[in-house]
Amino acid sequence: TGKASGEETPLQKVKEVKKEFPNFSVWVGAGINSENIIEQMSVADGAIVGSSIKSGNSIDYQKAKKLVTKLRK
């Protein structure tokens, strides 16, 4: 994960973990959003997404759709 919830996990850190543990699935646990999803998922095996698709305490359908649509391209 990054330094704090919602803060992007440095891509270099993800690459280092993948290199050190090639037989394990590496998931990004913080900071995934529609602006970095493609780059992060080019290295990571999965992601936990939370705050970037919320408005207040609820899931924002438009934010979630934007993120998923970008990933599927």
Side-chain angles (χ1 to χ4, degrees), residues 11-27:
L11 194 59
Q12 185 58 39
K13 186 178 272 191
V14 180
K15 289 178 181 179
E16 290 170 7
V17 172
K18 289 282 289 185
K19 184 177 180 183
E20 190 68 29
F21 301 97
N23 297 321
F24 289 88
S25 229
V26 176
W27 286 51

Side-chain angles (χ1 to χ4, degrees), residues 1-2 9 14 17-18 24-30 32 40-41 43-49:
T1 65
T9 302
V14 180
V17 172
K18 289 282 289 185
F24 289 88
S25 229
V26 176
W27 286 51
V28 175
I32 293 291
Q40 289 280 343
M41 294 307 296
V43 178
D45 298 300
I48 300 166
V49 180

Side-chain angles (χ1 to χ4, degrees), residues 54-67:
K54 291 175 81 177
S55 289
N57 289 327
S58 300
I59 300 295
D60 182 317
Y61 175 76
Q62 292 303 320
K63 288 180 180 180
K65 183 177 178 180
K66 181 178 178 181
L67 186 132

